[in-house]
Amino acid sequence: MNPRLSALQAYPFERLNALKANLKPATEAAHIALSIGEPKHAPPDFIVEALQDNGLLRQGLGGYPATRGSDELRSAIADWATQRFDLKPDTLTAEQHVLPVNGTREALFSFAQAVLSGSADSVVVMPNPFYQIYEGAALLGGAQPWYVPCPAENGLLPDFDSVPEAVWRRTELLYLCSPGNPTGAVVDLSGLKRLIELADRFDFIIAADECYSEIYFDESQPPAGLLEACAKLGRDDYRRCVVFHSLSKRSNLPGLRSGFVAGDARILAQYYQYRTYHGCAMAGHVQAVSAMAWRDEAHVTANRALYREKFTQVTPVLQQVLDVQIPQAGFYYWPATPTDDETFAQRLFEQCHITVLPGTYLGRQPTAETGGAGPNPGSGRIRMALVASLDECLQAAERIRQLSL
Ligand SMILES: Cc1ncc(COP(=O)(O)O)c(C=O)c1O
């Protein structure tokens, strides 16, 4: 077997299941999961209906799909990204700058396998806490992860100033997660421009995971994106920059497995070659409905309104007992806990029949080789996802409010 497999860590939900294994809720109240980051709003009707079209299905099921994706899908994606991130017309082209992927998870993983050199001292920089795929991708790509803490003092953003120059010199890939999971923090345009400068100076690629970019609360202030920062810099070739987007959160289609990767054409050409061997083309009917989803904004605006309503109603209830804020974007609270996060999660399960994710499971305690000394920045926090219905989220908040903390 590949010896690198043994470096992989248990997934947060395995650790959560173990934590809850012997616990019995002391209440008859129905279970409410605030732990899982799976969107629960209804998928758009027009997509569900389109997927029932026999002609579309016959065509999709009856042929091998192209790894590069259909022209129609790539055009829909290029148009969407150009409009959303205010890109100069015809700089992000359907021909060269866009590839469909089966959700960002597989793409974030496989991208590292394609771009990492395999050299013994290669480093992948990533936020801490983080989406665990970044770490697994780095380890299986033969690189050393370098965990960048996201402390409250830094607005829960990665403290890139803490990364020693010697580490930047070894860096081949930087994973950025903005809006952040679990923090909800957004890197602004100046922060993105600074990272691009670092990428140029030390010659690394930025993989910007922007899969929460469409879940935000002020319609006039959508989160900035890495391609947008390139456009503002006049960097119309998007050199060293690649973004990852998904229909899972934007369009409530996590089961469709549909997203895209876009940016630097030179990198995408090689990643495309990798993907043809990897064998991960998106099914034709999935491509067809994905194009429809990228071309429609009405359902996305309506989706945001649902999250806005939930956060507006739930936040004041929870604020009576926990230090929660409406996040800048995304659908997570990331509050500090009154006791250690695992004990607190156990108490919420036993006394309120509510599952939350201990922050410890989403972060790492770095060693000298992986981030210098320092605590696990996830410890002492929990992640709570407001994905359930408004009614369930309010019930959960009320139960937590009544718990004597
Ligand atoms: C930060 C982050 N990136 C990527 C993903 C993967 O999403 P998908 O593969 O559905 O696009 C998730 C899913 O929860 C996530 O939280």
Side-chain angles (χ1 to χ4, degrees), residues 3 10 67 70 98 103 167 200 242 253 295 297 299 304 317 325 335 346 349 369 385:
T67 303
S70 65
V98 168
V167 172
D200 280 345
V242 175
L253 291 167
R295 290 214 183 271
E297 281 306 312
H299 75 282
R304 273 197 291 277
V317 180
Q325 336 278 345
Q346 285 181 316
F349 185 76
E369 288 75 43

Side-chain angles (χ1 to χ4, degrees), residues 334-368:
W334 179 238
T337 48
T339 50
D340 86 87
D341 52 296
E342 283 180 303
T343 310
F344 187 64
Q346 285 181 316
R347 257 183 88 194
L348 286 185
F349 185 76
E350 283 182 317
Q351 297 182 27
C352 308
H353 210 188
I354 289 171
T355 304
V356 298
L357 192 59
T360 299
Y361 301 170
L362 292 167
R364 291 284 175 268
Q365 170 138 28
T367 62

Side-chain angles (χ1 to χ4, degrees), residues 18-38:
L19 182 79
K20 287 169 46 184
N22 298 316
L23 302 182
K24 294 254 173 322
T27 160
E28 300 280 287
H31 178 242
I32 300 178
L34 300 178
S35 44
I36 306 177
E38 180 183 61

Side-chain angles (χ1 to χ4, degrees), residues 368-390:
E369 288 75 43
T370 61
N376 176 339
S379 74
R381 289 185 179 268
I382 48 168
R383 192 187 77 174
M384 304 160 87
L386 283 204
V387 290
S389 66
L390 171 63

Side-chain angles (χ1 to χ4, degrees), residues 37 103-105 108 131 134 177 181 209 211-212 246 248-249 257 332:
T104 45
R105 181 180 181 138
L108 288 160
Y131 181 53
Y134 313 147
C177 185
N181 170 7
D209 178 356
C211 74
Y212 290 92
S246 173
S248 301
K249 278 81 176 163
R257 311 310 302 130
Y332 301 109

Side-chain angles (χ1 to χ4, degrees), residues 215-228:
I215 313 293
Y216 54 90
F217 301 94
D218 178 349
E219 287 294 322
S220 68
Q221 297 212 346
L226 186 65
L227 299 184
E228 186 178 0

